[in-house]
Amino acid sequence: MVSYKELGLVNTREMFKKAVKGGYAIPAFNFNTMEQMQAIVQAAVETKSPVIMQVSKGARNYANATILRYMAQGAVEYAKELGCPNPQIVLHLDHGDSFELCKDCIDMGFSSVMYDGSSLPYEENIKISRQVVEYAHKYDVTVECELGVLAGVEDEVASAVSHYTKPEEVIDFATRTGCDSLAISIGTSHGAYKFTPAQCTRNAEGKLVPPPLAFNVLHEIEKKLPGFPIVLHGSSSVPQEEVDTINKYGGKLPDAIGIPEDQLREASKSAVCKINIDSDSRLAMTAAIRKYLAENPSHFDPRQYLKPARENMKKMYIHKIVNVLGSNDKL
Ligand SMILES: [Zn+2]
């Protein structure tokens, strides 16, 4: 058993309290590789932002859970080395699908876990969420639970249709589970294809315009649970310039589409205090690598193309922190 406190990590409790009060959101960036980790830490340090580094089941399968945990520990030390004496870094399990997985992560040094029982019947979701919360709170680890179903595909989480969170259920759910934050469904979606063209309209230039988020549902939930931390999953914006770069250099991502940043900015000002961004990092990395390799066909040292990839991700992370979530200068 390793406590996250020994690793210099923090849980989400104080962070979320301040974010809800201050009208901003904490970035939750997924990571699988060293370059992503470095880019996240550099961006957080330069902007003086708290940050959540999150690990999905797919990331654990790809990189190995132990390695990711040591990388998070390394992230804390790296932040200090970059001139941030007291970094606020959370190591969070994204979409834990069983009590056992959540327990395993808590035991190995995670400071926050998500238990996602959103696909289960309501009472079953409450039962296992409660079990995770009871275990986690013994070690001062915070727990995110989910109510409502997001559409889209992310690693091993997939659903064809979304069901908005029912505001009439949130008080009962939050009270009986004892969770520290609640992921809700108001029209965000996992992956780089958040909406089908049929769900969108087209603007004058023929570009897809996605349907707006259900702010009415968010506001109703806020009224039921005043000041309670709310989480948005599937909140990449799928920047068109990255998609265009990928397509220009041999990629094929027709009609990839995300959540407009102005809507996320608006959500950040509410009780939404954690916004999950994964696909945008994937796109930034792939766009930079495709461009570099196309322009430098004789290069084969991974450091040559991973360096611009890391720079491009860092630029994206800084942009999100400063211009979308507003978590800069909050350390
Ligand atoms: Zn998610």
Side-chain angles (χ1 to χ4, degrees):
M1 172 99 204
V2 187
S3 167
Y4 69 87
K5 292 177 185 176
E6 292 160 33
L7 310 180
L9 298 162
V10 298
N11 69 22
T12 59
R13 197 167 289 123
E14 285 305 309
M15 205 179 263
F16 284 175
K17 213 184 274 176
K18 282 169 72 180
V20 171
K21 259 193 207 146
Y24 59 94
I26 311 290
F29 298 130
N30 288 71
F31 79 111
N32 302 264
T33 73
M34 181 187 77
E35 289 75 17
Q36 278 177 315
M37 182 274 271
Q38 291 170 317
I40 292 168
V41 174
Q42 290 172 11
V45 167
E46 282 182 30
T47 57
K48 299 187 175 64
S49 172
V51 70
I52 296 168
M53 298 182 62
Q54 57 185 19
V55 171
S56 66
K57 200 175 178 186
R60 287 162 59 90
N61 290 341
Y62 172 78
N64 175 285
T66 309
I67 289 178
L68 289 169
R69 200 273 275 166
Y70 278 99
M71 277 167 69
Q73 191 176 352
V76 173
E77 298 307 316
Y78 182 44
K80 289 180 186 168
E81 206 179 298
L82 292 175
C84 180
N86 296 303
Q88 285 180 32
I89 300 176
V90 174
L91 176 60
H92 175 77
L93 169 69
D94 194 20
H95 292 288
D97 61 358
S98 68
F99 170 78
E100 289 71 26
L101 175 57
C102 293
K103 178 182 180 296
D104 195 37
C105 287
I106 294 165
D107 291 349
M108 81 165 5
F110 281 59
S111 59
S112 174
V113 294
M114 174 192 194
Y115 171 69
D116 177 3
S118 61
S119 61
L120 298 174
Y122 182 72
E123 287 298 329
E124 191 69 7
N125 186 1
I126 288 187
K127 193 178 135 205
I128 305 175
S129 295
R130 177 72 217 161
Q131 198 187 359
V132 172
V133 168
E134 278 173 2
Y135 187 79
H137 283 184
K138 274 197 256 179
Y139 303 99
D140 203 19
V141 168
T142 39
V143 182
E144 173 186 328
C145 294
E146 180 164 337
L147 199 52
V149 179
L150 265 74
V153 181
E154 180 192 48
D155 289 348
E156 285 161 43
V157 181
S159 174
V161 285
S162 79
H163 301 283
Y164 288 164
T165 305
K166 295 180 189 140
E168 63 272 22
E169 286 179 348
V170 297
I171 296 177
D172 182 61
F173 186 85
T175 312
R176 286 171 63 199
T177 60
C179 64
D180 301 284
S181 60
L182 183 65
I184 62 166
S185 173
I186 55 165
T188 60
S189 168
H190 289 127
Y193 294 89
K194 298 191 184 300
F195 307 98
T196 63
Q199 292 172 300
C200 303
T201 50
R202 287 198 188 262
N203 67 12
E205 295 136 43
K207 294 274 186 199
L208 293 174
V209 179
L213 296 181
F215 279 101
N216 56 332
V217 176
L218 173 61
H219 295 323
E220 262 185 78
I221 291 169
E222 280 185 298
K223 259 187 245 161
K224 303 264 184 200
L225 293 173
F228 195 81
I230 300 296
V231 177
L232 289 188
H233 279 244
S235 297
S236 279
S237 300
V238 188
Q240 210 50 53
E241 64 273 21
E242 305 293 6
V243 173
D244 290 346
T245 302
I246 289 172
N247 289 339
K248 181 178 168 192
Y249 295 103
K252 205 171 180 186
L253 297 177
D255 291 335
I257 189 163
I259 310 295
E261 289 185 334
D262 57 338
Q263 294 193 28
L264 296 172
R265 183 77 204 97
E266 193 182 330
S268 300
K269 290 174 185 161
S270 72
V272 170
C273 63
K274 172 176 180 268
I275 292 190
N276 291 5
I277 294 166
D278 187 1
S279 296
D280 285 353
S281 166
R282 300 176 181 190
L283 292 166
M285 186 174 210
T286 300
I289 291 174
R290 277 197 178 275
K291 180 170 187 286
Y292 186 90
L293 290 176
E295 288 172 353
N296 301 278
S298 65
H299 290 186
F300 63 93
D301 180 345
R303 291 173 297 189
Q304 290 172 311
Y305 54 82
L306 289 173
K307 204 173 164 192
R310 187 169 61 194
E311 279 305 310
N312 204 35
M313 287 189 286
K314 177 183 170 184
K315 200 177 87 190
M316 185 278 292
Y317 292 136
I318 290 178
H319 164 70
K320 295 287 178 183
I321 288 170
V322 175
N323 302 318
V324 185
L325 284 77
S327 64
N328 51 306
D329 300 311
K330 299 298 192 299
L331 279 187

